[in-house]
Amino acid sequence: QVELVESGGGSVQAGGSLRLSCAASGISFRRYCGGWFRQAPGKEREGVAVIDDNGRTGYTNSVKGRFTISKDNAKSILYLQMDSLKPEDTAMYYCAAGGDTIVPGGGSCYGMDDWGKGTLVTISS
């Protein structure tokens, strides 16, 4: 059984930084994609950043150059370093796992079927 547990969310001012973590059990980032999605109130969920089993990464355009996804395969932890945060980054952030092929031009992989419960990120102006 796969379990993904996010942590690291919080409230910061615009321009600040946060680092999200996702502890995984029952699935290995050595074999599958790990990624971060977000959903703001009234908006659809979007793929933010993804890393595949070989360490290749993909980002949605709005976070390129500001967010960095990484992973520790030995500890089964996925990270999202978020810098230069903007109010529009405010959302619930979810960890996801599964699949092995990055969607071209995006921040997700095909077939990401396992999800965490989310961690809230609030950016004030």
Side-chain angles (χ1 to χ4, degrees):
Q1 185 175 353
V2 177
E3 184 177 24
L4 303 172
V5 180
E6 304 93 337
S7 61
S11 298
V12 299
Q13 290 189 327
S17 298
L18 284 172
R19 189 174 81 154
L20 305 183
S21 299
C22 171
S25 59
I27 192 168
S28 173
F29 294 127
R30 286 189 175 94
R31 297 185 59 193
Y32 296 99
C33 289
W36 291 94
F37 288 70
R38 67 185 179 187
Q39 187 166 20
K43 295 188 177 181
E44 293 187 356
R45 186 178 60 191
E46 66 167 340
V48 174
V50 67
I51 186 166
D52 71 7
D53 55 332
N54 290 312
R56 289 182 290 253
T57 59
Y59 298 91
T60 192
N61 285 338
S62 63
V63 307
K64 286 180 180 177
R66 300 189 298 121
F67 290 11
T68 303
I69 190 170
S70 61
K71 60 179 179 173
D72 185 326
N73 284 335
K75 296 181 179 179
S76 293
I77 299 178
L78 188 70
Y79 300 102
L80 184 67
Q81 178 67 41
M82 305 187 295
D83 299 317
S84 302
L85 283 160
K86 303 176 180 180
E88 51 263 44
D89 294 318
T90 294
M92 186 70 81
Y93 282 71
Y94 299 91
C95 177
D100 60 7
T101 303
I102 294 178
V103 176
S108 64
C109 278
Y110 297 107
M112 302 192 82
D113 295 327
D114 297 299
W115 299 86
K117 293 182 179 180
T119 186
L120 182 63
V121 172
T122 304
I123 311 302
S124 59
S125 58

